[in-house]
mmCIF file of all heavy atoms in Angstrom:
data_model
loop_
_atom_site.group_PDB
_atom_site.id
_atom_site.type_symbol
_atom_site.label_atom_id
_atom_site.label_comp_id
_atom_site.label_asym_id
_atom_site.label_seq_id
_atom_site.Cartn_x
_atom_site.Cartn_y
_atom_site.Cartn_z
ATOM 1 N N ILE V 1 -54.412 -26.940 17.257
ATOM 2 C CA ILE V 1 -55.253 -26.478 16.143
ATOM 3 C C ILE V 1 -54.424 -26.324 14.885
ATOM 4 O O ILE V 1 -54.848 -26.737 13.788
ATOM 5 C CB ILE V 1 -55.945 -25.160 16.512
ATOM 6 C CG1 ILE V 1 -56.931 -25.393 17.657
ATOM 7 C CG2 ILE V 1 -56.684 -24.577 15.299
ATOM 8 C CD1 ILE V 1 -57.562 -24.114 18.198
ATOM 9 N N THR V 2 -53.242 -25.738 14.991
ATOM 10 C CA THR V 2 -52.388 -25.527 13.816
ATOM 11 C C THR V 2 -51.992 -26.849 13.178
ATOM 12 O O THR V 2 -52.048 -27.000 11.956
ATOM 13 C CB THR V 2 -51.130 -24.725 14.209
ATOM 14 O OG1 THR V 2 -51.531 -23.469 14.784
ATOM 15 C CG2 THR V 2 -50.264 -24.463 12.993
ATOM 16 N N THR V 3 -51.582 -27.813 14.000
ATOM 17 C CA THR V 3 -51.151 -29.098 13.470
ATOM 18 C C THR V 3 -52.324 -29.910 12.922
ATOM 19 O O THR V 3 -52.200 -30.559 11.874
ATOM 20 C CB THR V 3 -50.442 -29.917 14.559
ATOM 21 O OG1 THR V 3 -49.411 -29.138 15.156
ATOM 22 C CG2 THR V 3 -49.808 -31.175 13.975
ATOM 23 N N ALA V 4 -53.453 -29.852 13.619
ATOM 24 C CA ALA V 4 -54.619 -30.623 13.184
ATOM 25 C C ALA V 4 -55.206 -30.080 11.892
ATOM 26 O O ALA V 4 -55.754 -30.850 11.084
ATOM 27 C CB ALA V 4 -55.681 -30.619 14.274
ATOM 28 N N THR V 5 -55.102 -28.772 11.662
ATOM 29 C CA THR V 5 -55.735 -28.158 10.503
ATOM 30 C C THR V 5 -55.267 -28.795 9.191
ATOM 31 O O THR V 5 -56.091 -29.077 8.304
ATOM 32 C CB THR V 5 -55.481 -26.647 10.480
ATOM 33 O OG1 THR V 5 -56.105 -26.061 11.639
ATOM 34 C CG2 THR V 5 -56.031 -25.993 9.229
ATOM 35 N N ASN V 6 -53.982 -29.019 9.047
ATOM 36 C CA ASN V 6 -53.489 -29.613 7.783
ATOM 37 C C ASN V 6 -53.170 -31.100 7.925
ATOM 38 O O ASN V 6 -52.482 -31.676 7.088
ATOM 39 C CB ASN V 6 -52.261 -28.844 7.278
ATOM 40 C CG ASN V 6 -51.069 -28.948 8.213
ATOM 41 O OD1 ASN V 6 -51.135 -29.616 9.244
ATOM 42 N ND2 ASN V 6 -49.996 -28.294 7.845
ATOM 43 N N SER V 7 -53.676 -31.726 8.999
ATOM 44 C CA SER V 7 -53.363 -33.137 9.252
ATOM 45 C C SER V 7 -53.951 -34.050 8.182
ATOM 46 O O SER V 7 -53.314 -35.015 7.760
ATOM 47 C CB SER V 7 -53.851 -33.555 10.635
ATOM 48 O OG SER V 7 -55.257 -33.407 10.745
ATOM 49 N N LEU V 8 -55.173 -33.787 7.750
ATOM 50 C CA LEU V 8 -55.813 -34.658 6.756
ATOM 51 C C LEU V 8 -55.145 -34.529 5.400
ATOM 52 O O LEU V 8 -54.908 -35.527 4.717
ATOM 53 C CB LEU V 8 -57.300 -34.309 6.642
ATOM 54 C CG LEU V 8 -58.167 -34.704 7.841
ATOM 55 C CD1 LEU V 8 -59.552 -34.087 7.728
ATOM 56 C CD2 LEU V 8 -58.267 -36.226 7.951
ATOM 57 N N THR V 9 -54.813 -33.317 4.996
ATOM 58 C CA THR V 9 -54.139 -33.131 3.703
ATOM 59 C C THR V 9 -52.698 -33.632 3.756
ATOM 60 O O THR V 9 -52.177 -34.145 2.769
ATOM 61 C CB THR V 9 -54.152 -31.650 3.306
ATOM 62 O OG1 THR V 9 -53.578 -30.854 4.367
ATOM 63 C CG2 THR V 9 -55.575 -31.163 3.071
ATOM 64 N N ARG V 10 -52.074 -33.508 4.930
ATOM 65 C CA ARG V 10 -50.702 -33.977 5.092
ATOM 66 C C ARG V 10 -50.629 -35.498 5.063
ATOM 67 O O ARG V 10 -49.645 -36.076 4.613
ATOM 68 C CB ARG V 10 -50.143 -33.420 6.403
ATOM 69 C CG ARG V 10 -48.706 -33.744 6.712
ATOM 70 C CD ARG V 10 -48.147 -32.814 7.776
ATOM 71 N NE ARG V 10 -49.109 -32.487 8.803
ATOM 72 C CZ ARG V 10 -49.260 -33.146 9.937
ATOM 73 N NH1 ARG V 10 -48.528 -34.206 10.180
ATOM 74 N NH2 ARG V 10 -50.157 -32.759 10.831
ATOM 75 N N ALA V 11 -51.678 -36.157 5.551
ATOM 76 C CA ALA V 11 -51.707 -37.626 5.586
ATOM 77 C C ALA V 11 -52.656 -38.156 4.520
ATOM 78 O O ALA V 11 -53.400 -39.126 4.755
ATOM 79 C CB ALA V 11 -52.145 -38.089 6.975
ATOM 80 N N SER V 12 -52.639 -37.546 3.351
ATOM 81 C CA SER V 12 -53.583 -37.915 2.282
ATOM 82 C C SER V 12 -53.467 -39.397 1.906
ATOM 83 O O SER V 12 -54.482 -40.058 1.655
ATOM 84 C CB SER V 12 -53.373 -37.031 1.060
ATOM 85 O OG SER V 12 -52.042 -37.147 0.584
ATOM 86 N N GLY V 13 -52.245 -39.918 1.846
ATOM 87 C CA GLY V 13 -52.068 -41.322 1.486
ATOM 88 C C GLY V 13 -52.724 -42.248 2.488
ATOM 89 O O GLY V 13 -53.401 -43.215 2.125
ATOM 90 N N LEU V 14 -52.557 -41.951 3.761
ATOM 91 C CA LEU V 14 -53.158 -42.757 4.822
ATOM 92 C C LEU V 14 -54.674 -42.661 4.776
ATOM 93 O O LEU V 14 -55.386 -43.664 4.896
ATOM 94 C CB LEU V 14 -52.631 -42.295 6.184
ATOM 95 C CG LEU V 14 -53.198 -42.995 7.424
ATOM 96 C CD1 LEU V 14 -52.772 -44.448 7.447
ATOM 97 C CD2 LEU V 14 -52.737 -42.273 8.683
ATOM 98 N N VAL V 15 -55.180 -41.447 4.581
ATOM 99 C CA VAL V 15 -56.618 -41.228 4.601
ATOM 100 C C VAL V 15 -57.320 -41.940 3.448
ATOM 101 O O VAL V 15 -58.402 -42.516 3.609
ATOM 102 C CB VAL V 15 -56.919 -39.711 4.572
ATOM 103 C CG1 VAL V 15 -58.421 -39.452 4.389
ATOM 104 C CG2 VAL V 15 -56.418 -39.039 5.833
ATOM 105 N N LYS V 16 -56.696 -41.947 2.276
ATOM 106 C CA LYS V 16 -57.348 -42.487 1.078
ATOM 107 C C LYS V 16 -57.160 -44.000 0.931
ATOM 108 O O LYS V 16 -58.004 -44.678 0.349
ATOM 109 C CB LYS V 16 -56.804 -41.794 -0.171
ATOM 110 C CG LYS V 16 -57.156 -40.313 -0.236
ATOM 111 C CD LYS V 16 -56.592 -39.636 -1.455
ATOM 112 C CE LYS V 16 -57.337 -40.055 -2.711
ATOM 113 N NZ LYS V 16 -56.928 -39.240 -3.885
ATOM 114 N N ARG V 17 -56.060 -44.549 1.440
ATOM 115 C CA ARG V 17 -55.741 -45.953 1.173
ATOM 116 C C ARG V 17 -55.985 -46.892 2.335
ATOM 117 O O ARG V 17 -56.084 -48.110 2.142
ATOM 118 C CB ARG V 17 -54.268 -46.072 0.754
ATOM 119 C CG ARG V 17 -53.973 -45.324 -0.554
ATOM 120 C CD ARG V 17 -52.493 -45.263 -0.804
ATOM 121 N NE ARG V 17 -52.168 -44.375 -1.926
ATOM 122 C CZ ARG V 17 -50.996 -43.827 -2.134
ATOM 123 N NH1 ARG V 17 -50.004 -44.093 -1.292
ATOM 124 N NH2 ARG V 17 -50.790 -43.027 -3.165
ATOM 125 N N VAL V 18 -56.084 -46.355 3.542
ATOM 126 C CA VAL V 18 -56.248 -47.209 4.722
ATOM 127 C C VAL V 18 -57.586 -46.903 5.362
ATOM 128 O O VAL V 18 -57.951 -45.739 5.557
ATOM 129 C CB VAL V 18 -55.111 -46.977 5.738
ATOM 130 C CG1 VAL V 18 -55.275 -47.898 6.944
ATOM 131 C CG2 VAL V 18 -53.755 -47.180 5.079
ATOM 132 N N ARG V 19 -58.332 -47.961 5.681
ATOM 133 C CA ARG V 19 -59.630 -47.778 6.320
ATOM 134 C C ARG V 19 -59.439 -47.553 7.829
ATOM 135 O O ARG V 19 -59.248 -48.502 8.592
ATOM 136 C CB ARG V 19 -60.524 -49.001 6.060
ATOM 137 C CG ARG V 19 -60.947 -49.158 4.618
ATOM 138 C CD ARG V 19 -61.914 -50.318 4.455
ATOM 139 N NE ARG V 19 -63.112 -50.125 5.249
ATOM 140 C CZ ARG V 19 -64.181 -49.425 4.846
ATOM 141 N NH1 ARG V 19 -64.159 -48.837 3.646
ATOM 142 N NH2 ARG V 19 -65.251 -49.311 5.612
ATOM 143 N N ILE V 20 -59.452 -46.294 8.208
ATOM 144 C CA ILE V 20 -59.357 -45.918 9.615
ATOM 145 C C ILE V 20 -60.421 -44.864 9.904
ATOM 146 O O ILE V 20 -60.889 -44.189 8.989
ATOM 147 C CB ILE V 20 -57.963 -45.343 9.977
ATOM 148 C CG1 ILE V 20 -57.697 -44.057 9.182
ATOM 149 C CG2 ILE V 20 -56.869 -46.355 9.744
ATOM 150 C CD1 ILE V 20 -56.473 -43.311 9.636
ATOM 151 N N PRO V 21 -60.831 -44.730 11.159
ATOM 152 C CA PRO V 21 -61.715 -43.612 11.489
ATOM 153 C C PRO V 21 -60.976 -42.296 11.208
ATOM 154 O O PRO V 21 -59.940 -42.027 11.817
ATOM 155 C CB PRO V 21 -61.977 -43.794 12.991
ATOM 156 C CG PRO V 21 -61.674 -45.239 13.256
ATOM 157 C CD PRO V 21 -60.570 -45.599 12.310
ATOM 158 N N ARG V 22 -61.464 -41.530 10.283
ATOM 159 C CA ARG V 22 -60.713 -40.349 9.850
ATOM 160 C C ARG V 22 -60.626 -39.272 10.928
ATOM 161 O O ARG V 22 -59.746 -38.405 10.853
ATOM 162 C CB ARG V 22 -61.345 -39.790 8.583
ATOM 163 C CG ARG V 22 -61.082 -40.711 7.381
ATOM 164 C CD ARG V 22 -61.853 -40.320 6.171
ATOM 165 N NE ARG V 22 -61.386 -41.073 4.999
ATOM 166 C CZ ARG V 22 -61.949 -40.981 3.792
ATOM 167 N NH1 ARG V 22 -62.991 -40.197 3.617
ATOM 168 N NH2 ARG V 22 -61.477 -41.684 2.796
ATOM 169 N N GLU V 23 -61.512 -39.335 11.899
ATOM 170 C CA GLU V 23 -61.388 -38.403 13.019
ATOM 171 C C GLU V 23 -60.074 -38.602 13.763
ATOM 172 O O GLU V 23 -59.570 -37.675 14.396
ATOM 173 C CB GLU V 23 -62.545 -38.594 14.009
ATOM 174 C CG GLU V 23 -63.914 -38.305 13.445
ATOM 175 C CD GLU V 23 -64.571 -39.547 12.881
ATOM 176 O OE1 GLU V 23 -63.848 -40.494 12.506
ATOM 177 O OE2 GLU V 23 -65.814 -39.574 12.817
ATOM 178 N N PHE V 24 -59.525 -39.821 13.699
ATOM 179 C CA PHE V 24 -58.301 -40.123 14.424
ATOM 180 C C PHE V 24 -57.119 -39.289 13.948
ATOM 181 O O PHE V 24 -56.182 -39.051 14.715
ATOM 182 C CB PHE V 24 -57.947 -41.616 14.281
ATOM 183 C CG PHE V 24 -58.717 -42.512 15.198
ATOM 184 C CD1 PHE V 24 -59.882 -42.077 15.800
ATOM 185 C CD2 PHE V 24 -58.300 -43.801 15.472
ATOM 186 C CE1 PHE V 24 -60.609 -42.898 16.657
ATOM 187 C CE2 PHE V 24 -59.007 -44.638 16.314
ATOM 188 C CZ PHE V 24 -60.173 -44.180 16.907
ATOM 189 N N VAL V 25 -57.156 -38.842 12.693
ATOM 190 C CA VAL V 25 -56.004 -38.104 12.171
ATOM 191 C C VAL V 25 -55.868 -36.745 12.862
ATOM 192 O O VAL V 25 -54.808 -36.450 13.437
ATOM 193 C CB VAL V 25 -56.108 -37.947 10.634
ATOM 194 C CG1 VAL V 25 -54.928 -37.136 10.108
ATOM 195 C CG2 VAL V 25 -56.150 -39.321 9.968
ATOM 196 N N PRO V 26 -56.902 -35.871 12.858
ATOM 197 C CA PRO V 26 -56.751 -34.623 13.624
ATOM 198 C C PRO V 26 -56.690 -34.850 15.130
ATOM 199 O O PRO V 26 -56.009 -34.103 15.846
ATOM 200 C CB PRO V 26 -57.996 -33.807 13.232
ATOM 201 C CG PRO V 26 -58.969 -34.791 12.694
ATOM 202 C CD PRO V 26 -58.158 -35.871 12.079
ATOM 203 N N LEU V 27 -57.381 -35.889 15.618
ATOM 204 C CA LEU V 27 -57.343 -36.148 17.063
ATOM 205 C C LEU V 27 -55.961 -36.592 17.519
ATOM 206 O O LEU V 27 -55.573 -36.337 18.664
ATOM 207 C CB LEU V 27 -58.382 -37.206 17.433
ATOM 208 C CG LEU V 27 -59.850 -36.763 17.377
ATOM 209 C CD1 LEU V 27 -60.769 -37.900 17.790
ATOM 210 C CD2 LEU V 27 -60.087 -35.533 18.235
ATOM 211 N N SER V 28 -55.208 -37.253 16.645
ATOM 212 C CA SER V 28 -53.847 -37.651 17.027
ATOM 213 C C SER V 28 -52.958 -36.423 17.209
ATOM 214 O O SER V 28 -52.084 -36.407 18.090
ATOM 215 C CB SER V 28 -53.245 -38.596 15.972
ATOM 216 O OG SER V 28 -53.079 -37.946 14.733
ATOM 217 N N ALA V 29 -53.186 -35.384 16.379
ATOM 218 C CA ALA V 29 -52.443 -34.133 16.558
ATOM 219 C C ALA V 29 -52.807 -33.486 17.887
ATOM 220 O O ALA V 29 -51.947 -32.942 18.593
ATOM 221 C CB ALA V 29 -52.750 -33.190 15.396
ATOM 222 N N LEU V 30 -54.086 -33.541 18.234
ATOM 223 C CA LEU V 30 -54.542 -32.998 19.513
ATOM 224 C C LEU V 30 -53.925 -33.766 20.685
ATOM 225 O O LEU V 30 -53.419 -33.158 21.635
ATOM 226 C CB LEU V 30 -56.065 -33.065 19.578
ATOM 227 C CG LEU V 30 -56.723 -32.779 20.937
ATOM 228 C CD1 LEU V 30 -56.327 -31.410 21.463
ATOM 229 C CD2 LEU V 30 -58.242 -32.905 20.834
ATOM 230 N N MET V 31 -53.922 -35.094 20.632
ATOM 231 C CA MET V 31 -53.383 -35.886 21.720
ATOM 232 C C MET V 31 -51.873 -35.715 21.865
ATOM 233 O O MET V 31 -51.330 -35.742 22.973
ATOM 234 C CB MET V 31 -53.731 -37.363 21.500
ATOM 235 C CG MET V 31 -55.200 -37.704 21.639
ATOM 236 S SD MET V 31 -55.852 -37.382 23.312
ATOM 237 C CE MET V 31 -56.790 -35.873 23.017
#
């Protein structure tokens, strides 16, 4: 939970510039 919470803001470049399912970013922290 702690890592996933700031995962989207931490990976802002990836989220904004690359077309990926954005759920994958917090889910990768969970996995």
